[in-house]
Amino acid sequence: MNTPLPNRLWIYQAERFPVIKTLPLLAMFSAASVTLSAVLGARTLPGVGAYVVAFVLVFLLFFQMRVCDEVKDAEDDRRFRPERPIPRGLIRQSEIVGLGVATIPLALAAAFLAGYGLVWLLLLVWGWLALMTIEFGAPRWLKARPVLYLLSHMAIMPLIDLLLTGVEWLRHGAPHPGLWLFFALSFSNGCVLELGRKLWAPGNEREGVETYSSLWGPRRAASVWVGCVAMSFLLLTGVGIAVGHPIPFVTLGALGFSTCVWIGRNYAERQLPGDQSRVDTVAGLWVFLCYAIAGFVPLLFGTTP
């Protein structure tokens, strides 16, 4: 490890936490959460500071989730994915964990800036993340039930969204009832992302690497993925109804949904490496589109919740 730590961290992020790819999605996610909370509550949008706090929190949380994954999956990575940065010796696990621990006071400070109540919501997210890291105390039992594994881990997404929207609604009392549709949308979108990155071409499957395409077969896995996109589309439509603008929500959402269906069908029929990559890419684009629509279409068409 003669390479300076900053250089090694740059390589690490490119492989395990690609900042350039991650930042736009997290920025849209956090901004849409704050904006929609204000729109549904028929309140003036908060200042720039609220958006900065929400973005800092979600960025730090997603990095902390990556750190926890490195700890949770350390043995599997050593055995089956030796090319990853930690098993191959690019960087030590202790260095990554140290960085993760260093982000804890930063997240607490950001939450405290938005109000003491937000700290409790942050602790709630951290509590669930801790349970995820220890696989809820039953790793073998949970891994033998992949659907339950997926659902239990994706449950952190609405908790994160509760935190992000709380940056806006906490000072006004309680979240608007319509936000529960948005929380459900975040849960569904988490499934879209997780499934999308684990639909592999048959030739790319590897021993010890769990994918949904190997578990269910490419065709069935693609159908489940499209089903999750469909659920997100329905929830997005529900958000559109809640803000009083269902037509633009449905119109724009339908364009994204039809693209996902097309990409998913191509993957199911051809099962080529390029199709695998396109499913992963379009999953991220779909989630980005959902938050762009939910957060900013109401501003374009007027706020009439």
Side-chain angles (χ1 to χ4, degrees):
M1 295 188 185
N2 295 325
T3 306
L5 180 60
N7 293 13
R8 290 187 282 121
L9 286 175
W10 182 254
I11 298 171
Y12 173 86
Q13 68 81 28
E15 297 182 25
R16 299 292 286 149
F17 191 70
V19 173
I20 294 176
K21 179 181 177 180
T22 304
L23 282 182
L25 180 56
L26 295 184
M28 184 60 71
F29 179 32
S30 58
S33 299
V34 173
T35 298
L36 186 63
S37 179
V39 167
L40 286 171
R43 295 183 288 266
T44 302
L45 296 182
V48 174
Y51 289 91
V52 172
V53 166
F55 173 73
V56 169
L57 283 172
V58 76
F59 180 81
L60 294 178
L61 280 169
F62 269 69
F63 176 67
Q64 290 165 1
M65 290 166 64
R66 169 54 62 212
V67 172
C68 288
D69 279 346
E70 297 288 17
V71 174
K72 176 173 64 70
D73 300 333
E75 180 58 24
D76 285 345
D77 286 349
R78 185 188 66 79
R79 294 177 60 195
F80 303 114
R81 296 177 283 260
E83 75 283 357
R84 284 186 171 178
I86 292 176
R88 77 171 187 261
L90 172 71
I91 197 163
R92 289 188 293 267
Q93 184 186 87
S94 59
E95 291 173 320
I96 295 301
V97 171
L99 283 175
V101 171
T103 63
I104 291 176
L106 296 178
L108 284 170
F112 189 78
L113 286 175
Y116 186 70
L118 203 68
V119 174
W120 291 105
L121 293 180
L122 177 60
L123 292 176
L124 177 63
V125 176
W126 277 343
W128 196 264
L129 178 57
L131 290 174
M132 288 168 51
T133 303
I134 63 172
E135 304 287 21
F136 299 90
R140 291 185 180 179
W141 184 89
L142 195 59
K143 286 186 177 181
R145 295 160 176 81
V147 173
L148 184 58
Y149 184 98
L150 172 68
L151 298 179
S152 64
H153 282 62
M154 288 306 104
I156 198 171
M157 293 305 298
L159 293 179
I160 292 175
D161 219 354
L162 180 67
L163 171 72
L164 298 180
T165 57
V167 172
E168 193 281 332
W169 61 257
L170 264 174
R171 68 192 66 185
H172 303 287
H176 187 280
L179 278 176
W180 296 103
L181 286 167
F182 190 59
F183 299 158
L185 175 63
S186 292
F187 176 85
S188 181
N189 276 343
C191 294
V192 170
L193 287 172
E194 182 66 10
L195 286 165
R197 75 184 185 89
K198 292 185 178 180
L199 296 188
W200 288 17
N204 288 346
E205 301 284 5
R206 295 173 56 182
E207 179 188 0
V209 179
E210 298 175 349
T211 65
Y212 294 101
S213 47
S214 64
L215 176 67
W216 296 324
R219 289 182 178 274
R220 184 182 176 192
S223 297
V224 174
W225 178 73
V226 170
C228 288
V229 177
M231 179 58 67
S232 293
F233 184 28
L234 288 175
L235 291 166
L236 181 66
T237 300
V239 174
I241 293 172
V243 299
H245 298 296
I247 294 178
F249 272 66
V250 170
T251 301
L252 294 172
L255 292 174
F257 175 64
S258 60
T259 300
C260 290
V261 172
W262 177 57
I263 294 294
R265 186 179 67 178
N266 284 346
Y267 165 81
E269 292 179 351
R270 301 185 305 196
Q271 302 171 24
L272 298 174
D275 297 311
Q276 168 189 324
S277 177
R278 279 185 282 274
V279 169
D280 187 20
T281 299
V282 81
L285 291 175
W286 165 255
V287 173
F288 184 91
L289 177 66
C290 281
Y291 292 129
I293 293 171
F296 298 101
V297 163
L299 300 183
L300 294 175
F301 288 85
T303 58
T304 57

